[in-house]
């Protein structure tokens, strides 16, 4: 079963079918799978061109997040709508999205940056790196 993950705060789970082109759902009490959404319908709702569901994550019981590398999307399973939540340039690398706090970390030329959910920088990279260094090596 590819892509298995529990839907938070439920007894339901998701997994991939048809080589990542379809999301299926079932539950701990009813293992009969039903089609949750197709990739085609997902792409229409997001105005995206994702090639598969690989990389999708359940943020909460009704929200899924997915990235195609440069773009991060959010999809609401209750309303069947989605939106682009972040987009990166070619120079931005190693993008990581934190579903719990909606923060994004990424690097540009080996400099680390953090953005909050309104996409404002959380801290200056230099101050952050100094704080991390001080905490790890100097506070013992």
């Amino acid at each position: 079963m590819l892509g298995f993950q529990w839907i938070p705060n439920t007894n339901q789970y998701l997994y991939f079918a048809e080589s990542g082109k379809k999301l299926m759902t079932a539950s701990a009490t009813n293992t009969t799978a039903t089609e949750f959404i197709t990739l085609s319908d997902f792409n229409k709702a997001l105005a995206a061109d994702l090639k598969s569901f690989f990389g999708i994550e359940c943020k909460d019981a009704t929200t899924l997040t997915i990235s195609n590398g440069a773009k991060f999307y959010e999809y609401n399973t209750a309303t069947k709508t989605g939106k682009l939540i972040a987009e990166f340039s070619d120079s931005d690398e190693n993008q990581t999205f934190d579903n719990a706090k909606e923060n994004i970390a990424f690097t540009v030329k080996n400099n680390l940056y953090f953005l909050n959910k309104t996409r404002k920088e959380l801290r200056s990279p230099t101050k952050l790196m100094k704080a991390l260094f001080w905490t790890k090596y100097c506070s013992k």
Side-chain angles (χ1 to χ4, degrees), residues 6-130:
W6 289 103
I7 299 172
N9 303 313
T10 73
N11 68 350
Q12 295 181 306
Y13 56 88
L14 295 174
Y15 66 93
F16 305 146
E18 297 183 15
S19 300
K21 305 285 187 209
K22 191 181 284 190
L23 272 182
M24 304 296 287
T25 187
S27 73
T29 56
N30 181 3
T31 57
T32 303
T34 58
E35 183 180 294
F36 191 65
I37 189 168
T38 65
L39 187 60
S40 175
D41 291 340
F42 198 73
N43 277 329
K44 285 178 191 170
L46 297 173
D49 187 27
L50 299 166
K51 304 301 180 204
S52 75
F53 282 112
F54 292 108
I56 200 163
E57 291 185 37
C58 294
K59 178 178 174 182
D60 56 41
T62 59
T63 311
L64 303 172
T65 59
I66 193 167
S67 168
N68 70 353
K71 296 179 181 180
F72 283 78
Y73 299 94
E74 188 171 87
Y75 178 81
N76 184 302
T77 60
T79 63
K80 300 193 182 308
T81 58
K83 63 182 177 180
L84 177 69
I85 56 174
E87 186 171 4
F88 293 91
S89 71
D90 291 340
S91 63
D92 300 336
E93 298 178 321
N94 307 307
Q95 301 94 341
T96 303
F97 185 75
D98 171 24
N99 275 330
K101 298 195 185 312
E102 298 185 31
N103 296 330
I104 295 177
F106 63 99
T107 59
V108 178
K109 297 181 181 177
N110 291 328
N111 292 310
L112 181 62
Y113 295 88
F114 293 93
L115 302 177
N116 66 13
K117 71 189 233 176
T118 62
R119 303 306 167 242
K120 293 193 178 172
E121 191 173 314
L122 293 176
R123 284 191 176 172
S124 132
T126 305
K127 288 180 185 175
L128 179 61
M129 294 310 287
K130 284 180 183 177

